[in-house]
Amino acid sequence: MVHRMTKTGFWLADNSVPAAEIIADLEFDFVMLDLEHGMFDLATLSRHVPLLLGLGLEVFAKVIGPDREPIQQALDFGCTGVIVPHIGGLAHARTVTEYAKYPPVGTRSLASGRNTTWGPMTAEAVAAADAGTLSFPLIEESDALADIEKIAALSTVDGLMIGQADLSMSRGRGMYTRSEADLADMNRIVDAIQAAQKPWMCAGWAQDELDWAISRGASRIILGVQYASFGIGARAAKDAYDSRVGALR
């Protein structure tokens, strides 16, 4: 069944303003900023998040690792939510996702700034932040899959992202090929998060992968990657030129 609120997203690896404007003009709903493998530092992240929000985009930060500081910084800078990589089993997931929620729900440290519209930290601001920002563990490790039903049910987990490629590697299958075993793992993750009545996201690069995500009711689907999309366009232009030159010879 198609999720009635499915949103489309794009994967960004740097703070290119034209790239952000193109994504917004094409009416994508959200972006995922790749802090783990991309070219963001704290200064560029702090400047780029309000620009993206101002363009009407939800902003998810895939933080550099499952640690307190990057999670808190991304949320303090105003991100809609965090995607946390390298989540392990239940105990690890509980500890890490608590960094995204203030006490008594979690252990996020208090700080006023953009997250409080530069005003003081108040009880109302704490409640609004806990309700309005999203904590999405990235399920890409075999330990996380083993505890997926319990992780999905955590009160500090607002949803999940599926990391298909790394999960296949972690499970000892090598490169992700959308095999039956890959699909079984992905379906187990979806079953767990839907049982908890929470949203989930994934990448949908290939047509069959996109069809699967839509049919399983993904709430958010990432449709493209910044540099790969540029490469596809550049390659198509070069191939067209080479073909034309060849025809004229």
Side-chain angles (χ1 to χ4, degrees):
M1 179 180 295
V2 177
H3 195 284
R4 61 189 178 92
M5 292 292 288
T6 299
K7 297 180 179 182
T8 56
F10 205 84
W11 188 308
L12 296 179
D14 68 27
N15 64 325
S16 165
V17 173
E21 291 174 325
I22 290 168
I23 295 306
D25 287 343
L26 290 173
E27 298 185 344
F28 281 79
D29 300 297
F30 72 96
V31 291
M32 193 197 77
L33 308 183
D34 191 349
L35 278 60
E36 182 186 12
H37 299 293
M39 300 184 186
F40 294 93
D41 57 29
L42 291 181
T44 58
L45 181 66
S46 178
R47 291 192 297 267
H48 206 50
V49 170
L51 181 145
L52 294 164
L53 294 172
L55 290 171
L57 296 161
E58 291 182 333
V59 182
F60 286 84
K62 182 162 79 78
V63 298
I64 197 168
D67 299 303
R68 176 186 296 277
E69 292 81 4
I71 292 171
Q72 293 182 166
Q73 287 164 341
L75 294 176
D76 286 350
F77 290 168
C79 288
T80 308
V82 288
I83 298 167
V84 187
H86 308 298
I87 292 292
L90 176 62
H92 184 247
R94 179 183 291 111
T95 296
V96 171
T97 56
E98 284 179 352
Y99 299 151
K101 302 294 181 182
Y102 291 113
V105 178
T107 62
R108 180 180 173 184
S109 179
L110 295 172
S112 59
R114 183 173 294 133
N115 57 312
T116 61
T117 61
W118 306 105
M121 177 60 75
T122 63
E124 291 76 17
V126 166
D130 279 349
T133 57
L134 301 173
S135 170
F136 276 47
L138 177 57
I139 307 302
E140 58 183 346
E141 307 281 355
S142 57
D143 288 349
L145 181 65
D147 286 341
I148 190 60
E149 291 79 12
K150 294 177 181 178
I151 291 173
L154 288 172
S155 62
T156 48
V157 168
D158 298 302
L160 296 176
M161 180 173 178
I162 303 175
Q164 302 100 299
D166 281 321
L167 183 59
S168 180
M169 298 288 283
S170 177
R171 296 273 283 162
R173 292 191 294 269
M175 295 299 294
Y176 169 62
T177 61
R178 297 187 293 279
S179 67
E180 289 186 8
D182 290 326
L183 188 60
D185 286 349
M186 293 157 61
N187 278 321
R188 180 179 172 187
I189 295 168
V190 173
D191 289 343
I193 198 65
Q194 289 183 335
Q197 298 184 335
K198 298 175 184 178
W200 63 279
M201 73 167 74
C202 70
W205 314 142
Q207 188 62 57
D208 58 346
E209 190 173 55
L210 181 60
D211 290 345
W212 171 83
I214 293 171
S215 70
R216 288 303 322 257
S219 56
R220 293 174 177 84
I221 305 174
I222 301 172
L223 301 181
V225 183
Q226 184 176 0
Y227 296 146
S229 296
F230 177 85
I232 290 168
R235 188 175 298 109
K238 184 62 164 58
D239 288 347
Y241 169 81
D242 290 343
S243 176
R244 185 62 179 158
V245 168
L248 292 174
R249 284 176 178 167

